[in-house]
Amino acid sequence: MVPMETQLQSIFEEVVKTEIIEEAFPGMFMDTPEDEKTKLISCLAAFRQFWSGLSQESHEQCIQWIVKFIHGQHSPKRISFLYDCLAMAVETGLLPPRMVCESLINSDSLEWERTQLWALTFKLVRKIIGGVDYKGCSRPSKSDFGENLDDPEYSKLRCGPAASGGKRERVIAYILERNACLLPAYFAVTEIRKLYPEGKLPHWLLGNLVSDFVDTFRPTARINSICGRCSLLPVVNNSGAMCNSWKLDPATLRFPLKGLLPYDKPCAALAVVPLPLRFSTGMAAVRPPWLRDLFEPQTALLRYVLEQPYSRDMVCNMLGLNKQTLNIAQHKQRCPVLEDQLVDLVVYAMERSETEDKFDDGGTSQLLWQHLSSQLIFFVLFQFASFPHMVLSLHQKPLSPQQSTILQYDPQMMARPEYVSLCGWIIWYPGYNIKLAGRGLIKGRDHLMWVLLQFISGSIQKNLLADFLPVMKLFDLLYPEKECIPVPDINKPQSTHAFAMTCIWIHLNRKAQNDNSKLQIPIPHSLKLHHEFLQQSLRNKSLQMNDYKIALLCNAYSTNSECFTLPMGALVETIYGNGIMRVPLPGTSCLASASVTPLPMNLLDSLTVHAKMSLIHSIATRVIKLAHTKSNVALAPALVETYSRLLVYMEIESLGIKGFISQLLPTVFKSHAWGILHTLLEMFSHRMHHIQPHYRVQLLSHLHTLAAVAQTNQNQLHLCVESTALRLITALGSSEVQPQFTRFLNDPKTVLSAESEELNRALILTLARATHITGSDSIQGTWCKDILQTIMNFTPHNWASHTLSCFPAPLQAFFKQNNVPQESRFNLKKNVEEEYRKWKSMTDENEIITQFSVQGFPPLFLCLLWKMLLETDHISQTGYKVLERIGARALVAHVRTFADFLVYEFSTSAGGQQLNKCIEILNDMVWKYNIVTLDRLILCLAMRSHEGNEAQVCYFIIQLLLLKPNDFRNRVSDFVKENSPEHWLQSDWHTKHMNYHKKYPEKLYFEGLAEQVDPPVPIQSPYLPIYFGNVCLRFLPVFDIVIHRFLELLPVSKSLETLLDHLGGLYKFHDRPVTYLYNTLHYYEMCLRNRDHLKRKLVHAIIGSLKDNRPQGWCLSDTYLKHAMNAREDNPWVPEDSYYCKLIGRLVDTMAGKSPGPFPNCDWRFNEFPNPAAHALHVTCVELMALAVPGKDVGNALLNVVLKSQPLVPRENITAWMNAIGLIITALPEPYWIVLHDRIVSVITSSSLTSETEWVGYPFRLFDFTACHQSYSEMSCSYTLALAHAVWHHSSIGQLSLIPKWTELKTEFQLLYVYHLVGPFLQRFQQERTRCMIEIGVAFYDMLLNVDQCSTHLNYMDPICDFLYHMKYMFTGDSVKEQVEKIICNLKPALKLRLRFITHISKMEPAAPPQALNSGSPAPQSNPVPVPTSLPVTQ
């Protein structure tokens, strides 16, 4: 077989051979055009015959040989002829153009020095590249961008007369030519940005071409950018704070921007801005928000989040830090940028300390240092930050060249070392500002050393001494005294901070001794008095608790077991008791160790983390030991209270709440130490704060397991388990429900009750509330369907229509589909009568007890007791024995049936004496006979599903039970009057607790009935220890549910007002009163829409209950208190614009960290909210929802704060106000924020966007909020756009999914405006709601089709098409291909040509003449290349 090379050589040599005379006289002979054509045709015919017999695998090798053969020729004439052959082969479809182009470009013989070959080659490439598919087009362009351009000789050739070097640039220009549409321009810009990322410039030969082309994508980048994104800040622990919107690159702190688009970089690296400005490391950037860059490190955002208490989870989420990789060497996640921000915060705290005279007054400085201590321990412990690196950075942080900003000259600045004068301007070096060397910051040094001591004392034993020695450099810097520093007053808690440096030296010295190190450091002279004081105190064996000496010794010697035993022993003995003395607890036969005064919070705050860990470990060990020994003596009240106080410290989480849930509770349960278990559940119900949701759901799962164990089937423990579970369920935050419960979708039984209908109903109500508030009801389908189905399998039930009507649509649909038949009240009455006849007819006591207590017996026994009291006014001893035999767990079902029976009895009562008799008997069953506790009976009544008149009767019974007798009202009144909710500040809680229980003893074992029967029965059940609880506190979560049930039924509004008047004071002890009020006003917005008086009553009752325990101005604004609370029904108060401005400004100032802030300082560890911004947001929303103004009007007023000119809104801070409005309006019900859609519609239909003559400028400048605001040319469309972005950035995905589809667009400006509106949020749709992403993608094409049909010509089709390609490549892929293909086929030819790569349609209509298309892109085109009338297109 003849080789391929031989055949090819014979074909091509035949056509290029010459006669001898031609070779003798080169250039003197020329073929006629006819001869040339004949030779071409014959050559092509011979080659076609050869090519048809060639295998597919040999095609590329064949073409490469042909190119090599051509490049081996030296005659330009031959080369030109052979290239003509190649061109004809491509044009006739014989050879694939892509393969030919690649072989030509990649040939080793193609060198720029062979100028004619170079020029002819690229001339051929330019001729045939139009037939290459777009992915192939990119290959020549990629290989051409970098080669030879740096060769100076090539540059000379490029500029020379022959200009042969420009052929390749013309090919590249043709590839990038917009009108040619050889490939998607988006594809080309992506490759260019990969070759030339930020900071890398192309060669000057391609500079103009590349930069002009990239600039055409700036409008696309702007379409995908959120206006003012750099100045938008979250509220930590709010519903939207953990979404992907706040994620940053952990290496650079930049936003993770989609696509390699040229996003705006305003004002290069330096910015000139007007004064006044806030100069402090407390502000992460001096430049105004509109001058910040999307490519900049977002230090301001991270710094702000780090400053917030309880923000560590959000920081980890933002930076993608995984706590689970602790101690896994290969997964260490040290984050230098996080270290830098922690260092900045420390220096900021040092600066704040310089301006505050007092530290231990609960001021901002003290709170900041407490928070910093917790943050540093967490991030260093999990190896996200390096302790020695941070200490060295604190001492002297190097300055990077980028850390400078030019400001206008101000002579006062020159006194500060971080400012340097240069030619009348000031250069600010923030890097200089965040080091301590030379700063003279002395006042905060003790607090800094206290923070460092926290980590050193707890970790020095497990790490190298060298890691901690840099602290001594800080000592040399911050403690320059030559004389001894005097010993502070140890009666003040601040003294422990003053001793911190000495304690650090003691720990370092101890470590050096243990390691036999030569690095031992002698005690500095300035610390000698402190050290001598500690040594002397250690020799005193009888330590007292009246000062902070014990804390000082614990802090100094926690790593020295010989010395540590004495002070820690003194602390432990104080709370354990001496083991001999006893004190009584509520109930019968219940004694505890006689220590009742807990360790005060000031003392616990004065202990290092290491000392606190030792203390809490000692307590937990003692509790486990007592659980194993099953001691009859209960834990000392001081121990229980102190333990609960220690659990508030997040820095000891592993031994604290994590150990409590994961180790202590299971161990106590396995030991069957029911008294201790009851104690732990009481602690969780009444003393825990800010417990992470996964721990609470884990405990809920434990409780459901616990409830099924036979040993817990006793009245007191069962009541405690159910009460704790109810608190856990109702206290779940709306944003916590879905993330937590989706973890259990595969096995929902673990978080559901198998028996308690009330608990499962409470969970459904919580699901309904969370779905409504987070906006999830706007999404089709129900994520919790499996949970609901499991609940219905466990406890089948129905909901009353007035309750069901408040449910979100998905839950309504589920319960309508899963309707459960209900037993008629008539049958219930009939069954009770029948069982009562059996009761009266039976005489054998044992048979009666067995008959009515056996499992499977209808749960009617409480109904029988009711009948007994109604007819005979007494209950026999047998009845008591049956009650005992039934058991606590089974009795709940009897209470449930009894609740239904009561409604029937009261509904059919004749009134008058009979009704009074019924009321008396019911109250006797609760208070006289103690057959059922009030809170359980009320809960069952409130959870029943009665309709119409029966529902009103049910609520009437609830009102009677709560208010008719004085028993409960007196209990509530005395408890509210005599106690304070601020338990962490009390030392005498136990005394007040016991006094209350002596006056109102708890009777949980039918004591009243046992005393009334004849003969009386002695009570044998010993009480489990009660440290905190009582009927009032148990009733609070039930009261929450009762209020909601009353709100659902309009006719009982007056009854609810009466309940609030008499019992509202209980909300003084609610752990989340503002949150409950917020949830209530939000969820029941529709029910309360025209009931202003009831809204006002509800707000007044709950907020007013705390008036004696909160400082003035802690919640509602003075304006609201003055006008709204005293408004008349016939003349409701309608606020002015200034009211809304002040309300928004209050949140703005809070988030900016203004000092003093709008709200009083407080200890956030015990506050309802974790940080000031969360508190400000919720109280603002409560106040707005409480206004007697329609939600639509309130929403419009909020938007007008920035959309109208307001004198109270500063221009330089406008984006912060938009951010605050976005936070507030998205936290309000739908009527409040849906008005934004109306504003957007009004802008879209305004003359600016509908009239071609109204605005003749560049539309992207019209939509540019930054440019408009900076130039004082306010445009409604740009302001509305920026505000919409701020609102939607904070919206939940449910709210975002309600963005309307603007299908009736007619103009290009309208289309671009909608793209600007929605474009930045495509990434969220893709990540959180893919279905919505697909719908939006199709809608964008529908809008384009509509605009295209309404317009004669689109002037900005290139940015429009670029945006659609961006959407395809970044978000939708081919998921919308089928739908949009039909739309694209109906577009005009110019658009169809540009969008042909989206649908991969092989044949499109010919492009219009280039003159008609030149205006297709607003950006100027360089060196336009004529477009052929038809282009061969292959995919």
Side-chain angles (χ1 to χ4, degrees):
M1 186 175 182
V2 181
M4 178 184 70
E5 292 82 358
T6 304
Q7 296 182 59
L8 286 171
Q9 190 161 357
S10 66
I11 293 172
F12 287 102
E13 283 188 348
E14 180 66 25
V15 296
V16 298
K17 68 179 180 180
T18 56
E19 301 294 335
I20 296 176
I21 192 169
E22 287 184 80
E23 293 179 1
F25 298 97
M28 303 297 291
F29 293 88
M30 290 185 64
D31 291 331
T32 64
E34 291 78 12
D35 293 339
E36 286 278 350
K37 188 173 183 180
T38 303
K39 290 169 67 176
L40 280 173
I41 292 172
S42 63
C43 176
L44 201 59
F47 179 73
R48 179 177 284 107
Q49 184 177 359
F50 165 77
W51 182 264
S52 61
L54 198 63
S55 65
Q56 185 77 24
E57 294 77 15
S58 301
H59 283 182
E60 185 174 358
Q61 184 182 356
C62 172
I63 295 175
Q64 288 175 352
W65 188 93
I66 294 171
V67 170
K68 185 177 180 181
F69 176 80
I70 296 172
H71 288 182
Q73 304 298 318
H74 297 284
S75 167
K77 179 181 176 183
R78 289 184 179 183
I79 295 173
S80 178
F81 175 78
L82 291 172
Y83 272 170
D84 287 343
C85 288
L86 275 182
M88 183 176 289
V90 170
E91 289 171 355
T92 58
L94 182 61
L95 294 181
R98 173 173 173 174
M99 200 175 290
V100 173
C101 286
E102 288 181 356
S103 298
L104 288 168
I105 297 297
N106 296 327
S107 171
D108 293 336
S109 303
L110 181 64
E111 298 176 347
W112 64 266
E113 291 93 342
R114 298 179 62 183
T115 56
Q116 289 182 315
L117 175 65
W118 181 270
L120 290 171
T121 299
F122 282 100
K123 180 181 178 182
L124 174 61
V125 171
R126 167 67 178 78
K127 185 176 183 180
I128 66 175
I129 199 171
V132 179
D133 66 276
Y134 73 92
K135 292 181 180 176
C137 275
S138 67
R139 298 197 178 189
S141 64
K142 279 194 282 187
S143 60
D144 288 347
F145 267 115
E147 293 181 6
N148 307 124
L149 291 177
D150 293 328
D151 192 329
E153 295 300 320
Y154 177 79
S155 298
K156 293 178 185 177
L157 172 69
R158 174 67 178 83
C159 301
S164 300
K167 297 291 184 181
R168 180 165 63 171
E169 287 79 81
R170 292 194 185 99
V171 172
I172 296 174
Y174 180 52
I175 292 173
L176 300 182
E177 167 58 38
R178 290 283 196 164
N179 297 324
C181 296
L182 298 185
L183 77 167
Y186 187 87
F187 195 92
V189 80
T190 300
E191 298 301 333
I192 290 172
R193 300 282 287 176
K194 286 178 182 176
L195 287 169
Y196 306 114
E198 288 298 317
K200 184 178 179 182
L201 301 176
H203 192 275
W204 65 269
L205 291 175
L206 297 176
N208 287 339
L209 176 66
V210 170
S211 61
D212 288 348
F213 181 75
V214 170
D215 280 345
T216 65
F217 279 84
R218 296 203 180 277
T220 307
R222 198 168 293 161
I223 290 174
N224 288 280
S225 302
I226 295 174
C227 296
R229 183 177 182 182
C230 297
S231 59
L232 299 180
L233 300 174
V235 167
V236 176
N237 279 25
N238 194 34
S239 58
M242 296 300 281
C243 73
N244 295 322
S245 302
W246 307 106
K247 283 190 178 294
L248 300 173
D249 186 302
T252 63
L253 284 189
R254 291 179 176 180
F255 289 125
L257 302 172
K258 275 280 190 178
L260 298 177
L261 296 174
Y263 293 96
D264 283 345
K265 295 190 67 176
C267 300
L270 302 179
V272 179
V273 295
L275 293 176
L277 294 168
R278 177 180 175 183
F279 302 103
S280 169
T281 56
M283 293 292 287
V286 167
R287 289 186 293 174
W290 60 81
L291 291 179
R292 298 181 201 162
D293 178 7
L294 287 175
F295 283 109
E296 285 183 346
Q298 300 302 314
T299 53
L301 174 59
L302 178 60
R303 178 83 154 280
Y304 162 79
V305 174
L306 272 173
E307 282 187 47
Q308 307 304 308
Y310 296 94
S311 61
R312 66 189 199 185
D313 285 338
M314 184 173 180
V315 172
C316 290
N317 183 63
M318 289 171 65
L319 300 178
L321 305 177
N322 185 4
K323 293 190 293 183
Q324 304 304 319
T325 58
L326 178 62
N327 296 329
I328 302 177
Q330 63 269 31
H331 289 115
K332 286 184 179 179
Q333 287 184 281
R334 180 179 168 232
C335 187
V337 292
L338 177 61
E339 281 180 11
D340 290 344
Q341 295 312 306
L342 287 169
V343 169
D344 289 1
L345 273 179
V346 169
V347 181
Y348 172 50
M350 294 282 285
E351 292 180 343
R352 291 289 292 266
S353 297
E354 291 294 308
T355 61
E356 294 195 7
D357 297 329
K358 295 182 179 180
F359 176 79
D360 53 354
D361 60 348
T364 54
S365 181
Q366 181 185 7
L367 296 174
L368 179 58
W369 283 111
Q370 283 179 354
H371 171 60
L372 268 177
S373 174
S374 178
Q375 295 284 61
L376 181 138
I377 289 169
F378 173 80
F379 290 114
V380 175
L381 176 67
F382 282 93
Q383 302 178 13
F384 301 143
S386 164
F387 182 79
H389 280 90
M390 290 180 61
V391 174
L392 289 172
S393 294
L394 274 170
H395 185 271
Q396 178 108 13
K397 183 169 180 177
L399 174 67
S400 65
Q402 291 78 24
Q403 289 179 297
S404 61
T405 304
I406 295 182
L407 307 171
Q408 286 188 355
Y409 180 78
D410 184 346
Q412 294 181 353
M413 294 185 198
M414 299 314 299
R416 298 185 62 173
E418 64 268 28
Y419 298 100
V420 180
S421 177
L422 180 64
C423 300
W425 294 91
I426 297 172
I427 300 181
W428 174 52
Y429 292 93
Y432 191 97
N433 197 27
I434 56 174
K435 64 183 181 182
L436 297 178
R439 297 289 306 282
L441 300 177
I442 300 298
K443 286 188 177 181
R445 64 184 184 181
D446 292 341
H447 311 314
L448 171 58
M449 291 305 168
W450 171 254
V451 169
L452 300 181
L453 172 63
Q454 303 293 307
F455 180 75
I456 291 172
S457 62
S459 60
I460 194 169
Q461 292 174 304
K462 298 180 181 179
N463 292 282
L464 298 175
L465 176 62
D467 289 345
F468 304 97
L469 291 180
V471 175
M472 296 309 296
K473 291 188 68 177
L474 276 181
F475 168 77
D476 295 336
L477 175 67
L478 298 176
Y479 292 82
E481 289 89 346
K482 303 300 181 184
E483 302 297 325
C484 292
I485 301 173
V487 175
D489 183 357
I490 62 168
N491 293 304
K492 295 181 178 179
Q494 192 176 351
S495 62
T496 54
H497 289 214
F499 272 87
M501 188 61 231
T502 307
C503 294
I504 289 174
W505 179 85
I506 291 173
H507 287 296
L508 294 177
N509 201 47
R510 176 71 179 178
K511 176 68 174 178
Q513 292 173 1
N514 290 343
D515 295 352
N516 296 318
S517 172
K518 298 179 181 179
L519 298 174
Q520 296 185 28
I521 306 168
I523 182 73
H525 179 72
S526 57
L527 302 179
K528 278 191 175 181
L529 291 180
H530 286 194
H531 184 245
E532 290 171 1
F533 177 83
L534 291 173
Q535 294 283 353
Q536 182 180 356
S537 300
L538 197 59
R539 290 190 286 270
N540 182 7
K541 302 302 180 183
S542 58
L543 297 172
Q544 303 298 319
M545 294 292 296
N546 53 4
D547 56 29
Y548 290 87
K549 191 179 295 182
I550 292 178
L552 291 172
L553 294 176
C554 286
N555 298 342
Y557 299 104
S558 61
T559 56
N560 186 336
S561 56
E562 299 171 2
C563 302
F564 187 54
T565 305
L566 175 66
M568 182 53 65
L571 285 180
V572 167
E573 184 180 347
T574 301
I575 58 174
Y576 285 2
N578 57 17
I580 300 173
M581 301 291 292
R582 302 285 183 265
V583 293
L585 291 175
T588 56
S589 308
C590 193
L591 297 175
S593 296
S595 179
V596 298
T597 305
L599 297 181
M601 283 303 299
N602 278 342
L603 178 62
L604 296 178
D605 286 341
S606 299
L607 295 173
T608 61
V609 168
H610 194 217
K612 283 197 279 277
M613 291 177 71
S614 299
L615 179 58
I616 200 170
H617 176 71
S618 175
I619 292 174
T621 303
R622 181 174 179 85
V623 172
I624 291 174
K625 179 181 177 182
L626 292 173
H628 286 319
T629 59
K630 293 185 172 61
S631 171
N632 292 326
V633 180
L635 301 174
L639 182 148
V640 175
E641 188 79 70
T642 301
Y643 186 28
S644 67
R645 292 179 179 182
L646 284 167
L647 291 175
V648 81
Y649 293 98
M650 291 187 68
E651 52 268 36
I652 57 173
E653 178 187 337
S654 58
L655 288 177
I657 188 61
K658 184 177 181 180
F660 180 94
I661 298 290
S662 305
Q663 298 171 7
L664 186 57
L665 264 174
T667 303
V668 170
F669 172 61
K670 289 176 183 176
S671 301
H672 292 181
W674 307 124
I676 295 178
L677 180 64
H678 186 273
T679 301
L680 298 179
L681 296 183
E682 267 210 314
M683 284 173 55
F684 204 95
S685 293
H686 305 296
R687 288 295 186 266
M688 301 291 194
H689 299 267
H690 301 303
I691 305 301
Q692 291 170 292
H694 64 274
Y695 289 131
R696 286 181 267 136
V697 175
Q698 186 180 349
L699 176 58
L700 180 62
S701 179
H702 286 334
L703 292 177
H704 289 319
T705 303
L706 185 64
V709 177
Q711 292 91 333
T712 61
N713 190 20
Q714 58 110 326
N715 292 6
Q716 188 181 2
L717 186 56
H718 185 267
L719 179 64
C720 180
V721 169
E722 289 223 332
S723 295
T724 307
L726 182 65
R727 279 181 176 270
L728 285 169
I729 292 168
T730 57
L732 280 169
S734 298
S735 61
E736 298 168 351
V737 173
Q738 186 170 350
Q740 293 305 317
F741 281 90
T742 46
R743 298 189 293 122
F744 298 91
L745 291 181
N746 293 329
D747 187 20
K749 297 178 181 178
T750 55
V751 287
L752 303 176
S753 175
E755 295 181 339
S756 176
E757 181 181 315
E758 286 70 37
L759 290 180
N760 286 338
R761 281 179 178 267
L763 180 57
I764 289 171
L765 291 170
T766 301
L767 288 171
R769 180 250 298 166
T771 302
H772 169 83
I773 290 179
T774 59
S776 303
D777 51 346
S778 66
I779 308 301
Q780 293 180 1
T782 308
W783 66 267
C784 55
K785 187 174 181 180
D786 291 339
I787 292 177
L788 296 175
Q789 195 62 61
T790 307
I791 288 176
M792 296 302 286
N793 294 337
F794 280 158
T795 54
H797 62 269
N798 283 330
W799 290 93
S801 59
H802 52 268
T803 301
L804 199 60
S805 65
C806 298
F807 279 10
L811 270 70
Q812 286 188 39
F814 176 85
F815 284 106
K816 287 175 182 177
Q817 292 171 3
N818 295 270
N819 193 41
V820 178
Q822 282 189 296
E823 182 184 14
S824 71
R825 305 292 184 258
F826 177 77
N827 286 340
L828 175 59
K829 174 72 172 177
K830 180 181 175 182
N831 292 336
V832 171
E833 295 292 347
E834 184 177 341
E835 294 299 325
Y836 188 55
R837 280 195 298 273
K838 286 183 185 178
W839 170 271
K840 291 193 295 184
S841 64
M842 297 174 71
T843 56
D844 184 271
E845 182 179 68
N846 291 332
E847 185 182 352
I848 293 173
I849 294 173
T850 303
Q851 169 73 22
F852 290 96
S853 62
V854 68
Q855 189 174 3
F857 174 79
L860 304 172
F861 192 68
L862 292 186
C863 304
L864 302 187
L865 295 181
W866 165 274
K867 293 287 290 182
M868 294 177 205
L869 290 171
L870 192 62
E871 294 186 5
T872 65
D873 207 25
H874 78 279
I875 298 173
S876 66
Q877 190 182 82
T878 307
Y880 170 79
K881 292 179 179 178
V882 172
L883 269 180
E884 271 200 319
R885 181 74 67 86
I886 288 174
R889 192 176 301 127
L891 190 62
V892 176
H894 290 260
V895 177
R896 202 173 295 132
T897 311
F898 180 53
D900 288 341
F901 181 70
L902 281 176
V903 173
Y904 180 84
E905 287 285 280
F906 276 77
S907 299
T908 57
S909 170
Q913 291 298 323
Q914 185 182 358
L915 180 61
N916 291 334
K917 178 69 173 175
C918 290
I919 296 169
E920 183 181 346
I921 292 172
L922 183 56
N923 285 308
D924 284 348
M925 290 180 72
V926 174
W927 301 112
K928 182 178 179 181
Y929 299 113
N930 312 121
I931 293 172
V932 59
T933 59
L934 178 74
D935 52 304
R936 294 301 95 184
L937 179 56
I938 297 289
L939 179 62
C940 283
L941 282 165
M943 287 296 197
R944 306 315 292 156
S945 53
H946 300 291
E947 297 283 356
N949 183 58
E950 288 187 350
Q952 294 185 48
V953 171
C954 179
Y955 298 154
F956 172 68
I957 296 172
I958 291 174
Q959 183 181 0
L960 289 176
L961 279 168
L962 294 175
L963 302 181
K964 181 67 174 176
N966 291 329
D967 299 72
F968 187 59
R969 289 167 60 183
N970 290 341
R971 282 169 168 78
V972 169
S973 177
D974 287 353
F975 183 68
V976 169
K977 181 172 59 178
E978 296 170 7
N979 291 276
S980 167
E982 296 172 331
H983 56 84
W984 60 95
L985 301 177
Q986 296 176 344
S987 59
D988 59 345
W989 164 261
H990 180 73
T991 303
K992 293 182 177 180
H993 175 67
M994 286 306 301
N995 291 339
Y996 183 80
H997 275 274
K998 287 174 183 175
K999 187 173 182 179
Y1000 303 110
E1002 293 275 319
K1003 296 182 179 180
L1004 304 173
Y1005 294 95
F1006 321 120
E1007 285 93 334
L1009 180 57
E1011 293 171 2
Q1012 295 293 326
V1013 298
D1014 187 19
V1017 180
I1019 298 296
Q1020 298 177 351
S1021 300
Y1023 270 72
L1024 302 177
I1026 301 174
Y1027 295 91
F1028 310 115
N1030 56 57
V1031 66
C1032 296
L1033 294 178
R1034 280 202 316 275
F1035 177 69
L1036 255 178
V1038 178
F1039 197 19
D1040 289 348
I1041 293 171
V1042 167
I1043 290 175
H1044 287 176
R1045 298 287 73 72
F1046 273 67
L1047 286 173
E1048 292 164 357
L1049 199 61
L1050 184 61
V1052 296
S1053 296
K1054 290 296 181 184
S1055 299
L1056 176 56
E1057 292 180 21
T1058 305
L1059 288 179
L1060 291 171
D1061 285 337
H1062 290 90
L1063 306 178
L1066 266 181
Y1067 278 91
K1068 173 182 179 179
F1069 299 94
H1070 201 290
D1071 53 349
R1072 299 159 33 260
V1074 176
T1075 303
Y1076 173 71
L1077 193 52
Y1078 168 80
N1079 289 340
T1080 302
L1081 294 172
H1082 197 300
Y1083 184 74
Y1084 290 106
E1085 185 272 334
M1086 190 173 292
C1087 293
L1088 292 168
R1089 198 168 286 177
N1090 297 312
R1091 299 156 78 181
D1092 298 330
H1093 181 72
L1094 182 58
K1095 271 200 299 189
R1096 193 160 58 245
K1097 175 71 74 174
L1098 191 62
V1099 171
H1100 183 269
I1102 295 177
I1103 302 301
S1105 67
L1106 292 155
K1107 62 181 183 298
D1108 297 329
N1109 302 100
R1110 297 286 191 274
Q1112 186 177 0
W1114 75 277
C1115 183
L1116 302 174
S1117 67
D1118 292 338
T1119 308
Y1120 179 88
L1121 292 172
K1122 179 180 178 182
H1123 295 94
M1125 296 302 275
N1126 301 314
R1128 300 196 311 270
E1129 288 290 322
D1130 58 341
N1131 186 26
W1133 174 59
V1134 179
E1136 298 177 351
D1137 287 348
S1138 60
Y1139 165 77
Y1140 296 101
C1141 292
K1142 291 176 181 177
L1143 215 55
I1144 299 296
R1146 191 172 65 168
L1147 178 58
V1148 172
D1149 290 343
T1150 302
M1151 296 186 71
K1154 184 178 179 181
S1155 183
F1159 296 97
N1161 286 322
C1162 68
D1163 191 339
W1164 296 105
R1165 297 173 300 179
F1166 297 100
N1167 193 276
E1168 175 180 355
F1169 299 101
N1171 52 68
H1175 172 85
L1177 176 62
H1178 281 82
V1179 298
T1180 301
C1181 290
V1182 164
E1183 184 168 328
L1184 289 169
M1185 288 188 286
L1187 292 172
V1189 180
K1192 181 179 180 180
D1193 295 346
V1194 174
N1196 278 314
L1198 292 174
L1199 299 180
N1200 287 337
V1201 169
V1202 293
L1203 295 183
K1204 282 187 176 181
S1205 179
Q1206 303 284 0
L1208 297 177
V1209 180
R1211 282 186 55 83
E1212 66 275 8
N1213 205 21
I1214 187 70
T1215 48
W1217 285 68
M1218 288 184 174
N1219 182 65
I1221 292 171
L1223 283 165
I1224 291 170
I1225 208 166
T1226 53
L1228 293 171
E1230 183 177 321
Y1232 292 79
W1233 55 261
I1234 203 71
V1235 296
L1236 177 62
H1237 296 175
D1238 300 331
R1239 293 295 184 98
I1240 293 171
V1241 169
S1242 68
V1243 170
I1244 291 175
T1245 57
S1246 67
S1247 56
S1248 298
L1249 302 185
T1250 57
S1251 172
E1252 295 182 2
T1253 58
E1254 180 73 19
W1255 176 267
V1256 294
Y1258 192 48
F1260 300 99
R1261 195 167 291 277
L1262 173 68
F1263 304 151
D1264 188 346
F1265 167 76
T1266 299
C1268 291
H1269 187 74
Q1270 201 172 1
S1271 61
Y1272 287 77
S1273 54
E1274 281 82 350
M1275 300 295 296
S1276 175
C1277 51
S1278 62
Y1279 269 65
T1280 304
L1281 177 66
L1283 184 55
H1285 281 180
V1287 171
W1288 290 348
H1289 191 63
H1290 291 294
S1291 295
S1292 68
I1293 189 61
Q1295 293 170 321
L1296 206 54
S1297 302
L1298 292 178
I1299 292 176
K1301 295 178 181 178
W1302 295 281
T1303 55
E1304 299 301 320
L1305 305 182
K1306 298 185 183 301
T1307 70
E1308 199 172 4
F1309 279 26
Q1310 289 178 320
L1311 180 68
L1312 287 170
Y1313 192 73
V1314 171
Y1315 284 3
H1316 274 80
L1317 277 168
V1318 185
F1321 303 98
L1322 295 180
Q1323 186 171 353
R1324 278 196 67 189
F1325 282 116
Q1326 181 204 30
Q1327 294 170 340
E1328 301 177 49
R1329 288 292 182 272
T1330 307
R1331 180 183 57 78
C1332 292
M1333 174 71 256
I1334 294 172
E1335 291 178 359
I1336 290 171
V1338 175
F1340 280 165
Y1341 287 92
D1342 284 330
M1343 296 176 197
L1344 176 59
L1345 176 62
N1346 202 50
V1347 171
D1348 188 44
Q1349 292 174 345
C1350 295
S1351 305
T1352 56
H1353 175 68
L1354 296 184
N1355 295 307
Y1356 302 98
M1357 65 175 73
D1358 284 339
I1360 291 171
C1361 295
D1362 293 341
F1363 170 68
L1364 295 177
Y1365 277 108
H1366 174 78
M1367 183 174 67
K1368 169 186 165 61
Y1369 287 123
M1370 294 295 111
F1371 305 114
T1372 62
D1374 287 334
S1375 59
V1376 298
K1377 176 184 173 183
E1378 186 176 342
Q1379 298 98 311
V1380 305
E1381 188 172 288
K1382 302 172 185 176
I1383 300 172
I1384 292 176
C1385 288
N1386 292 319
L1387 296 172
K1388 289 189 175 74
L1391 270 175
K1392 195 187 301 184
L1393 179 67
R1394 283 164 167 77
L1395 296 175
R1396 62 191 171 123
F1397 306 108
I1398 286 181
T1399 60
H1400 302 281
I1401 300 173
S1402 59
K1403 292 184 178 180
M1404 303 292 291
E1405 294 182 18
Q1411 290 78 9
L1413 292 176
N1414 277 343
S1415 59
S1417 173
Q1421 300 291 331
S1422 59
N1423 301 326
V1425 181
V1427 181
T1429 55
S1430 64
L1431 292 171
V1433 180
T1434 58
Q1435 296 298 327

